[in-house]
Amino acid sequence: MLSRRRFLITSSIGAAGVALAKPKPALTSHEAALDLHDWSSVRRQFDLSPDYVHLGLFYLTSHPRPVREAIEAYRRKLDANPFVTVESSLFEAPDKNLALRTATAIADAIGEKANEIALTQNTTTGLALIYHGLPLKAGDEIVTTNQDHFVHHEAIRLATERNGATWRKIALFDSFETISAGDIVDRIRKAIAPNTRVVGVTWVHSSSGLRMPIRAIADMIKDVNKTRDQRVLLVVDGVHGLGVENVKMSDLGADAFSSGLHKWMFAPRGTGFVWAKPRVWASMKPLIPSFTSFDLFRSWGEEHPPTGTPDATWFSPGGFQAFEHYWAVPAAFEFHRAIGESRISDRIHELNSALNEGLRKLPNVNVHTPLARELNAGMVVFEVKGQKTEETVARLLQKRIIGSGTPYAVSYARLSCGIMNTHDEVQQAVAAVKALSS
């Protein structure tokens, strides 16, 4: 049995610079009928209710048609023949392995290698795998910020409670009006202590819409590391930047990066990944048994601890999962590629800039998201003077405009435009906020 299957892809993802065929384009059957350079045609790929203005899709996306069809095609195969479908798609030749195909699609999009990609369910799982896997100990410290999400803070807290390290939060700015990329970098530099081993930040803050200057932070940490025996690592929660900003991992300069794919990437719900540099993976310890490493399975079969060097294949959580969702991930990346990553980024910025500028003109509205493109991404966070956030969100919903409140101790209203939105919808939203703020 062991030699027949050679367990889970054999040289699979672990050898995955391998000659694996590129994922087949997911749009082939539609390309003749679609003009994805036309934004109204792009909008029609999403099966969204026309009764609402959808400005909360960064929370959980609607699957576009190619992704829905890919999920359904794999679901039909699984329902028709579960054993053969899973066996042939996970445990046989690399050229047929769909987990490897998914990892390859992600790696191609971010400019890295498939054996540097661990497949996860979401950003939360990914951050937990990173912080629990890093070789931290008593006396070591993680520095993060007071602007990061609950799950980022909790991943750090749970890990440090187990490994004995400590963690500390710093403020990145004193007020929304004083946000500055240079000041952010300087504050993080000043916070790095001799025992700091990790700086954990978020690319785009769901609390304010601020896009962090990750490259500048990475360059600063690289400079700091020149005079240190133990390097400081940069860990990034990237979920609200991936799919909005057209950059590669080499552009960001992070050491480890976690993101879900069911937001801006329009991939199936419950899918995500972690990317890390090979030397970072090599230093880490897995948290959950994996189905994607032959090294681990062989060592188990031979009844000795693994002797190889850890890579991402050791870290993808194993077990039976919603395979049709994982296998359909390449369709989402192909959808982005067919539209054009730069066009997507420009469109998202164009719509959100119009929303930001429109709300700033209203006398009783304070916008907290920076207006400068290099400091924002795909959402606009604001407050109506004298009005509670839940009231603002509820009154917008009464007008069929879907927004949300930021899930933090101090909550603000939040609207977000994606490629499925229009300038008319931006104007509707601005007019609605004006009416409820007068």
Side-chain angles (χ1 to χ4, degrees):
M1 176 67 71
L2 207 69
S3 90
R4 180 179 72 80
R5 294 166 95 186
R6 302 178 62 201
F7 186 68
L8 307 176
I9 320 170
T10 335
S11 44
S12 77
I13 300 180
V18 297
L20 175 73
K22 298 288 185 182
K24 293 181 180 179
L27 302 180
T28 303
S29 62
H30 302 287
E31 286 175 339
L34 294 179
D35 177 10
L36 292 181
H37 290 280
D38 171 41
W39 292 114
S40 62
S41 182
V42 171
R43 166 65 179 250
R44 289 194 294 273
Q45 302 313 298
F46 296 87
D47 197 15
L48 291 163
S49 168
D51 299 329
Y52 292 87
V53 175
H54 297 269
L55 299 180
L57 294 173
F58 67 93
Y59 179 76
L60 189 64
T61 193
S62 167
H63 294 154
R65 182 188 302 275
V67 174
R68 294 198 306 272
E69 292 185 350
I71 293 171
E72 180 60 20
Y74 287 124
R75 186 197 64 75
R76 286 196 299 267
K77 289 184 66 176
L78 283 162
D79 286 340
N81 202 330
F83 178 85
V84 169
T85 299
V86 172
E87 186 83 352
S88 62
S89 300
L90 282 188
F91 303 131
E92 296 293 350
D95 62 338
K96 296 180 181 179
N97 187 273
L98 294 179
L100 175 53
R101 181 165 291 174
T102 294
T104 301
I106 297 169
D108 287 348
I110 65 174
E112 301 298 336
K113 297 177 181 177
N115 66 344
E116 297 167 5
I117 301 294
L119 300 177
T120 67
Q121 289 75 33
N122 43 54
T123 313
T124 302
T125 304
L127 290 171
L129 290 176
I130 293 170
Y131 285 112
H132 283 271
L134 289 172
L136 298 175
K137 61 185 185 306
D140 294 340
E141 177 193 67
I142 299 172
V143 171
T144 187
T145 86
N146 60 7
Q147 296 290 316
D148 293 278
H149 193 271
F150 162 78
V151 301
H152 200 151
H153 287 164
E154 281 293 281
I156 294 172
R157 180 182 70 83
L158 293 171
T160 54
E161 284 182 354
R162 287 174 170 83
N163 59 35
T166 60
W167 65 297
R168 180 163 47 96
K169 294 185 286 188
I170 65 168
L172 292 172
F173 48 85
D174 296 323
S175 71
F176 294 110
E177 292 72 32
T178 62
I179 293 175
S180 155
D183 187 41
I184 287 171
V185 175
D186 190 51
R187 287 181 182 224
I188 296 174
R189 178 190 285 270
K190 290 177 179 177
I192 296 175
N195 66 330
T196 302
R197 299 291 175 261
V198 181
V199 170
V201 298
T202 299
W203 191 3
V204 179
H205 290 178
S206 60
S207 58
S208 65
L210 166 67
R211 175 158 61 101
M212 292 277 279
I214 299 297
R215 178 76 252 182
I217 295 169
D219 289 342
M220 176 271 290
I221 292 176
K222 181 179 180 181
D223 186 60
V224 167
N225 282 334
K226 291 177 181 178
T227 59
R228 295 173 62 100
D229 293 329
Q230 289 188 289
R231 298 179 69 258
V232 177
L233 299 179
L234 178 60
V235 174
V236 176
D237 168 350
V239 70
H240 287 299
L242 187 79
V244 178
E245 305 304 328
N246 181 26
V247 297
K248 306 298 184 186
M249 287 299 107
S250 59
D251 298 325
L252 289 178
D255 292 289
F257 180 98
S258 176
S259 179
L261 294 170
H262 43 239
K263 294 180 183 285
W264 297 95
M265 279 309 306
F266 316 135
R269 290 179 274 276
T271 59
F273 74 98
V274 171
W275 168 85
K277 293 178 178 177
R279 57 177 167 74
V280 176
W281 285 126
S283 73
M284 292 172 59
K285 292 185 177 180
L287 182 64
I288 301 171
S290 174
F291 269 19
T292 55
S293 171
F294 181 58
D295 287 341
L296 298 180
F297 190 71
R298 179 179 56 197
S299 297
W300 171 77
E302 296 171 355
E303 297 187 339
H304 63 75
T307 56
T309 300
D311 64 14
T313 66
W314 291 34
F315 293 83
S316 294
F320 280 18
Q321 305 179 34
F323 292 124
E324 62 269 42
H325 279 216
Y326 274 99
W327 298 342
V329 164
F333 281 91
E334 177 59 24
F335 183 64
H336 269 249
R337 187 208 61 77
I339 297 170
E341 290 91 341
S342 293
R343 289 186 65 242
I344 288 173
S345 184
D346 288 343
R347 178 68 171 180
I348 291 171
H349 276 280
E350 175 188 323
L351 292 172
N352 284 283
S353 291
L355 178 61
N356 196 322
E357 291 170 357
L359 292 177
R360 284 175 180 270
K361 294 175 182 178
L362 304 181
N364 293 320
V365 174
N366 288 332
V367 177
H368 299 317
T369 303
L371 194 55
R373 174 163 176 160
E374 66 272 14
L375 291 175
N376 62 42
M379 65 185 76
V380 180
V381 175
F382 66 98
E383 62 180 319
V384 176
K385 295 177 184 177
Q387 193 171 107
K388 292 183 177 181
T389 294
E390 52 265 34
E391 180 184 354
T392 301
V393 173
R395 291 177 65 181
L396 286 172
L397 187 59
Q398 290 174 357
K399 296 176 180 291
R400 301 282 178 160
I401 295 172
I402 299 175
S404 65
T406 60
Y408 296 83
V410 179
S411 180
Y412 302 110
R414 183 173 57 180
L415 299 173
S416 172
C417 299
I419 59 172
M420 64 290 289
N421 296 117
T422 68
H423 279 284
D424 284 345
E425 290 177 329
V426 169
Q427 295 308 312
Q428 288 180 56
V430 172
V433 174
K434 180 179 181 180
L436 62 85
S437 63
S438 298

